[in-house]
Amino acid sequence: MLPEIIAEIVVEHIDANSDKYRLSSLCVADRCLVESDQPIAIIETSKSVFEIVSPASGRLFFAPGVVTAKAVQAGQLLAVVARPDATEVEVSHRWHCEKPSAPPQDTIVRGATFSKAAISKLRELGISPDVFIDKGLVTAADVETYFKENAM
Amino acid sequence: MASNVTESVKYIFAEGEVLRKALTIRRTEEILLHLCRRGDIRGTIHTAIGQELPALAVVGALGSEDWVFSNHRGHAHFVALTDDVEGLVAEVLGRRTGVCGGLGGSQHLQASRFLSNGIVGGLAPAGVGRALAARLAGSTAISALFIGEGALGEGVVYEALNIAARWRLPFLVVVENNGYAQSTPITEVLAGTIKSRADAFDIWYRQTDSWNLPELFTTATDAVATCRSGRPALLEICTYRLSAHSKNDDYRDKDEIQKYRERDVLSHLLEEHRQEVIEVDRAAIARVEEAVKRALKADYSTLTVKGSASEPVDWVEVPGQAEVIADSIYRFLSDSLEKDSRVILLGEDIGAPYGGAFHVTRDLSHRYPNRVRNTPISEAGIVGVGCGLALAGNLPIVEIMFGDFLPLAFDQILNHAAKFSFVSEGRVQVPMIVRTPMGGRRGYGPTHSQSLEKHFLGIDGLRIVALNSILTPYALYSEILRNLDRPYIVIENKSLYPCRTGPAPIPGFEWKISRDPFPVVRLSPASGKASVTLVCYGQMFDEVTRALQYAFEEEEIVCEAYCLSLISPLHVGALLEGVARTRTIICVEEAGTEAGFGSEVVAQLMERGAPLNKVKRLGAAGTIPAGPLEAKVLPDARAICEAIKEICAS
C-alpha cells in the first residue's frame, strides 16, 4: 500500500526554560493544501514568537485537539502533511522516537550538557550551573571538583 | 515444418559468405568440444552445433549500429557478428588474448555491440534499455536478443516484452526454439504457445525454421526491418542442436538426434556436397586450428586483487547547509536533468502529479517528459532497462519504490549491472544509480519496512551509499554522479525525508566529517575521552545521537559515534583511531545483525589489528510488524542507551 503521509510536524523544544508554549494562531485551515516552508502555526514562548512551517507540500491534517487547543507541548505532534489527494489520514500514530526530555530549566547553560547526577550534585552543593558555561560535558565528579577547588 | 533441402543448398551456395561463416562456426564448436574432452578447457561450454544458420540469418540482417544480446549458447551469435574466432577460442581457453582477457569464458562475451552471459533471459531488459537509448537519441538502431524457448519460463523476459511493447521500442526477440530447456522437453514446461505470448503484448510475430534457408533469411530480414520501423518483434526460429546441452549431458533419443542430423543443412552439405565445400571447409578448419595453436601458446589471464590501503584520516568541519532531505534529492535530480541530457529517470509512479511514492520526483516528468518515465511494476525490468541505458552511455537514475522490492531486481544487480564491467575488462561500464526508500518507523509492516541493503553488501562491482541526516543528499549524490563509473545503490531511509540536514549542536560534543568523497560523520566529546564507540549508518545515526545524550545524562558514560556514508565496499579506516582508544564498540543497524553490517565492521577491525575488548551488535530483533508494534523490534535511542550501559557494566 502506498503511503499517504509525507511528513509529520512535531513541536520542537524551542525554549530552554519551558516545554509548554502558547498556541497563538493557526495560519492555515485543517485539511488545506500547503507548500513546503509555508507557515502553519504561530507559537509563543515566554521570550518570543515562533513560526512553525510545513516541511513538505501536500494536504495538511492537524492532530486531534490542535485546532481548539490554546497550548502545545514540546514533542507533541502538531500535524501531518499527506498527499494532496488524501481525504482521511490516521493522525494519531506517532512515528518519531522518543526525544530527549528537556533538562530542568535551572540547569540550561550555554555550551554545557549536565548529567542527571551532576544536576543533583549542583542542587546538593548549592552551585549555580552558570559556572559551567562552555564547559562541555559536566559530570557529578566535575561538580565535586569545582566545589573542592573553590572551597564553597 | 518441412525442410526444403534443395532450395536451402542452392541458397547457401549463392550466399558464399554465409557458407563460409556457417562452416567456421560449426568447426569452431566441434574443435572446442574436442578441446573440452581433452581437458584443455576449464569450465563448460554450450555449443550451437545445428543452430548456426539462425544466428547468421538474424545477425546478417542487422546494421552497423545494432546490438546483439546473447546467452550461454552464444558462440554462433558472437562469430556471426564479429567473425572473431581467434578471440573466442582464446577466451574459452582462458587466455589473456581472449576477447575478454580470459575473464569471462565461454558464456560471458563482450565486444563492440555484443554482450552475452549465463543467466537465462537475464539480458532481456538490458536489450530493451539499449533500444530505449536508441529511441531517445533519435537513432534507428535496434537491439536483438537471442533466447532459447526455455527462457520463456523467466519472468524478467515478460517484464522486458511488456516495457518494449508499451513504449514501442525497436527490440527484437529471437527465440531459438530447439525443443529442449537444457534436458527437459519444452512440452513439459511451457504452457500455451510462443505466438500467444507475442500476441498478448501485441508484438509482431513470425515463425520460421533453420531448414528452409530462403524463408529463414527472408523472415529474419523482415523481423529486423519491422523493428527498425519502431515496433518490437518476436521471431521464433524452430531449430535443433545436434550437440549436447553442454559437454556430454545428452539424454535425448538418439534416433531423434539422427533424424535432425539428416535434416541439418550443413551436415547435408558436408556429406552430400563434400567436394563443393571442401575448400571452404578446410579453410575453416585451418583457421580454427591456428587459433587454437596461438591461444595455447598465450599466457593465461591474470587478476590483480586490490587491497584497501590504510591512509590517515583528516577530520574537518561539517558543512553547515541545512535542507529538507526530500527537497535536496529533488534539487539534485532537477539540476542533473537540466545540466546533463544523458540523465534519465525511471521508476514506478515517479511521474507528475503523483511525483513518486515519497513525493521526491514531483513535477520532473512535466519538465522532462522524455527523460522521466513511469514504468510498469517491474523491478527487475526497471533495473535491467537502466543497465541497457547505461551501456549506451546514458546516466540512468532508477527508483525502486520501496527497498523491500529490491530483491526482485537482485539478479539484475548482482549478475548483470555489477558484472558487465568485469567481464569486459572495464571496456563496458554501467554508470547507473538505483535509489530506494528503505527502513521502518512508519508502521507499514513486514514487507514495507525492512532494511535489505545488507543482502547487497560486498557485491563486487557495486557501491552502496546510505544517506543520513547530517550530510545533504545533494552533495552525496553529486559526488556519485561526478565519478559515476559503476552501479550504485543509494539507501534513502524513508523516515528521513522530512528531516532537515545538518548537525544539531550538543554542548560538550563536536561534529566532524572525514575528508572523503563519501564522508564518515563523527560525533565525539569535545574534550576528554570516550569510553564506547558506536558505528552505524543511515537514519540510525539519529537514534545513536540521542542515545549518546541519554548515556551521558543518565550514567555519565561518554561515547563517540561514527556514521558511514559508503557502506559497501566497507572501509573501517576512519574508525581505527577511535576504536583504539575505547576498545569497546557497538555496531547499530536497522537490519538484523546476523551476517550484516556490524559483523563486517567488527571483522574488518579485527583483521586490521584493532584492540577490541568488548563488542556488541544491535539490530532488528526479528520480522518487523505493522503499526506501533514495530517499535519493539527496531532499535531506538532507548535500546541503544541500554546496550551502552550493558557493555560498560560487563
Side-chain angles (χ1 to χ4, degrees):
Chain A
M1 190 173 88
L2 294 177
E4 286 204 318
I5 295 181
I6 300 166
E8 58 176 23
I9 304 168
V10 174
V11 179
E12 299 284 343
H13 186 85
I14 49 178
D15 181 353
N17 296 313
S18 174
D19 60 0
K20 206 167 177 179
Y21 315 120
R22 182 168 166 269
L23 180 57
S24 179
S25 62
L26 297 176
C27 305
V28 296
D30 190 22
R31 298 167 188 243
C32 75
L33 288 172
V34 296
E35 294 295 317
S36 181
D37 285 335
Q38 180 177 348
I40 61 140
I42 310 275
I43 59 175
E44 290 179 26
T45 71
S46 57
K47 296 187 175 158
S48 51
V49 173
F50 287 87
E51 242 178 23
I52 297 181
V53 300
S54 175
S57 302
R59 191 170 297 279
L60 185 114
F61 292 78
F62 283 112
V66 167
V67 172
T68 54
K70 298 219 176 345
V72 292
Q73 191 104 4
Q76 176 184 346
L77 178 71
L78 192 74
V80 298
V81 181
R83 311 194 63 85
D85 56 352
T87 51
E88 290 292 336
V89 292
E90 180 56 60
V91 184
S92 59
H93 179 59
R94 286 289 310 276
W95 294 316
H96 268 325
C97 292
E98 179 195 335
K99 285 189 181 291
S101 54
Q105 61 183 353
D106 58 354
T107 54
I108 306 299
V109 299
R110 186 189 71 232
T113 299
F114 295 85
S115 68
K116 287 181 181 170
I119 294 169
S120 293
K121 190 59 68 173
L122 285 170
R123 290 190 179 128
E124 178 194 323
L125 298 175
I127 300 171
S128 166
D130 290 345
V131 304
F132 291 100
I133 286 176
D134 290 332
K135 293 298 184 191
L137 301 176
V138 181
T139 64
D142 295 327
V143 175
E144 289 260 21
T145 301
Y146 176 85
F147 181 75
K148 284 176 187 156
E149 284 174 355
N150 291 273
M152 287 180 74
Chain B
M1 183 78 53
S3 67
N4 190 332
V5 174
T6 311
E7 290 302 316
S8 294
V9 167
K10 242 195 268 180
Y11 183 91
I12 204 166
F13 277 131
E15 300 288 334
E17 187 60 5
V18 171
L19 175 64
R20 182 190 73 77
K21 278 192 165 174
L23 285 174
T24 301
I25 295 170
R26 173 69 56 103
R27 294 311 191 189
T28 302
E29 299 285 67
E30 286 174 348
I31 289 173
L32 286 175
L33 268 177
H34 170 69
L35 291 172
C36 255
R37 290 183 198 116
R38 215 170 70 172
D40 287 308
I41 293 176
R42 280 180 65 85
T44 192
I45 58 173
H46 305 83
T47 59
I49 296 172
Q51 297 185 208
E52 301 87 348
L53 292 160
L56 288 168
V58 174
V59 173
L62 295 178
S64 60
E65 299 295 315
D66 298 333
W67 265 71
V68 172
F69 294 85
S70 177
N71 52 64
H72 57 288
R73 200 178 305 284
H75 299 171
H77 312 133
F78 180 80
V79 174
L81 185 72
T82 67
D83 200 34
D84 187 6
V85 171
E86 292 72 20
L88 171 66
V89 167
E91 182 63 33
V92 178
L93 285 167
R95 285 352 197 235
R96 280 291 301 140
T97 50
V99 67
C100 296
L103 301 177
S106 164
Q107 300 182 71
H108 311 89
L109 304 171
Q110 185 277 327
S112 172
R113 303 185 294 116
F114 184 94
L115 201 55
S116 70
N117 77 5
I119 303 297
V120 171
L123 283 172
V128 170
R130 190 62 189 76
L132 174 61
R135 166 67 52 78
L136 291 173
S139 154
T140 56
I142 78 167
S143 291
L145 170 78
F146 285 91
I147 56 173
E149 78 288 357
L152 294 172
E154 288 287 356
V156 71
V157 171
Y158 298 96
E159 292 187 28
L161 286 173
N162 184 47
I163 293 173
R166 192 65 197 86
W167 291 351
R168 290 188 68 81
L169 295 175
F171 180 56
L172 170 63
V173 178
V174 182
V175 180
E176 293 174 305
N177 182 357
N178 63 19
Y180 287 86
Q182 192 155 334
S183 71
T184 307
I186 208 61
T187 47
E188 277 184 34
V189 292
L190 211 62
T193 64
I194 295 175
K195 178 180 186 302
S196 62
R197 286 161 166 77
D199 289 345
F201 294 104
D202 195 24
I203 285 177
W204 182 98
Y205 167 87
R206 292 290 184 276
Q207 186 190 55
T208 183
D209 65 59
S210 60
W211 305 289
N212 186 341
L213 296 193
E215 189 197 90
L216 170 65
F217 279 75
T218 303
T219 310
T221 302
D222 287 347
V224 170
T226 299
C227 247
R228 205 176 301 292
S229 73
R231 195 179 163 192
L234 194 153
L235 175 65
E236 179 188 353
I237 304 178
C238 296
T239 185
Y240 194 86
R241 65 174 155 78
L242 299 174
S243 51
H245 164 68
S246 55
K247 292 180 281 192
N248 299 312
D249 49 347
D250 205 342
Y251 300 94
R252 296 174 297 175
D253 181 83
K254 293 201 174 1
D255 290 338
E256 176 189 284
I257 301 173
Q258 181 55 30
K259 187 180 86 184
Y260 278 99
R261 190 178 302 283
E262 287 163 9
R263 270 181 99 176
D264 178 61
V265 174
L266 283 186
S267 301
H268 178 84
L269 280 178
L270 288 166
E271 282 164 28
E272 305 297 328
H273 298 269
R274 178 94 196 121
Q275 289 309 311
E276 291 156 88
V277 302
I278 195 164
E279 291 296 325
V280 178
D281 189 38
R282 279 183 180 158
I285 293 171
R287 182 181 175 192
V288 180
E289 286 179 344
E290 179 60 27
V292 171
K293 214 185 296 183
R294 265 198 254 155
L296 288 174
K297 284 186 194 155
D299 291 332
Y300 279 101
S301 54
T302 55
L303 205 57
T304 309
V305 179
K306 290 182 213 170
S308 53
S310 177
E311 290 172 14
V313 180
D314 205 9
W315 295 98
V316 298
E317 295 302 316
V318 179
Q321 191 175 15
E323 197 174 8
V324 172
I325 284 178
D327 292 348
S328 187
I329 301 169
Y330 167 79
R331 191 166 65 89
F332 163 75
L333 296 173
S334 176
D335 287 358
S336 303
L337 284 162
E338 184 184 333
K339 290 175 191 162
D340 196 331
S341 59
R342 297 173 298 163
V343 172
I344 297 169
L345 272 51
L346 300 178
E348 298 162 14
D349 296 286
I350 63 170
Y354 200 78
F358 296 93
H359 212 52
V360 169
T361 48
R362 301 175 194 175
D363 63 343
L364 294 175
S365 69
H366 278 160
R367 293 162 53 200
Y368 304 96
N370 270 339
R371 292 195 283 136
V372 179
R373 292 178 167 237
N374 276 342
T375 63
I377 301 176
S378 307
E379 281 74 14
I382 291 167
V383 173
V385 168
C387 284
L389 287 168
L391 290 172
N394 294 290
L395 300 174
I397 303 175
V398 307
E399 177 182 299
I400 299 299
M401 185 190 280
F402 276 74
D404 307 73
F405 311 158
L406 205 56
L408 292 160
F410 197 98
D411 175 72
Q412 289 296 314
I413 293 169
L414 171 70
N415 286 323
H416 295 81
K419 285 196 170 50
F420 289 162
S421 186
F422 174 81
V423 300
S424 67
E425 292 186 288
R427 285 189 301 273
V428 159
Q429 291 181 335
V430 183
M432 173 173 66
I433 298 174
V434 178
R435 303 177 33 243
T436 188
M438 198 74 88
R441 307 194 199 280
R442 289 215 167 192
Y444 293 153
T447 63
H448 278 52
S449 305
Q450 298 166 99
S451 293
L452 297 180
E453 59 275 7
K454 73 175 242 185
H455 300 290
F456 295 81
L457 298 180
I459 293 179
D460 192 38
L462 175 73
R463 281 191 169 172
I464 305 178
V465 170
L467 303 185
N468 57 63
S469 66
I470 306 302
L471 303 171
T472 65
Y474 192 98
L476 284 174
Y477 268 116
S478 297
E479 179 58 40
I480 294 172
L481 196 64
R482 195 175 305 128
N483 299 300
L484 190 58
D485 60 351
R486 73 197 68 198
Y488 278 74
I489 296 177
V490 179
I491 306 302
E492 300 175 358
N493 277 105
K494 53 177 86 74
S495 60
L496 286 181
Y497 282 133
C499 298
R500 281 189 190 274
T501 56
I506 305 172
F509 287 93
E510 63 175 15
W511 293 91
K512 296 277 189 193
I513 60 170
S514 62
R515 198 194 295 276
D516 283 313
F518 301 107
V520 176
V521 182
R522 184 184 75 186
L523 175 64
S524 57
S527 61
K529 288 184 196 171
S531 47
V532 181
T533 299
L534 291 102
V535 182
C536 64
Y537 65 91
Q539 187 273 338
M540 194 55 74
F541 196 36
D542 293 349
E543 304 302 319
V544 167
T545 303
R546 290 192 194 99
L548 251 67
Q549 292 174 264
Y550 293 159
F552 177 73
E553 287 165 10
E554 294 171 14
E555 300 292 330
E556 295 190 342
I557 300 172
V558 179
C559 304
E560 60 178 16
Y562 295 82
C563 177
L564 276 62
S565 306
L566 181 70
I567 60 170
S568 186
L570 192 67
H571 300 300
V572 298
L575 313 177
L576 287 171
E577 195 187 322
V579 165
R581 279 193 301 265
T582 65
R583 304 187 174 217
T584 300
I585 188 170
I586 301 177
C587 297
V588 191
E589 58 200 290
E590 202 172 307
T593 55
E594 188 164 337
F597 167 80
S599 308
E600 181 63 22
V601 167
V602 172
Q604 285 200 26
L605 286 170
M606 299 287 291
E607 284 173 349
R608 299 279 288 266
L612 291 174
N613 288 341
K614 298 181 191 176
V615 169
K616 191 165 183 62
R617 298 168 302 161
L618 202 56
T623 303
I624 303 169
L629 270 181
E630 73 173 357
K632 299 215 180 296
V633 171
L634 295 178
D636 61 6
R638 185 49 62 194
I640 299 167
C641 183
E642 290 306 310
I644 293 170
K645 292 178 193 174
E646 269 174 39
I647 207 169
C648 286
S650 66

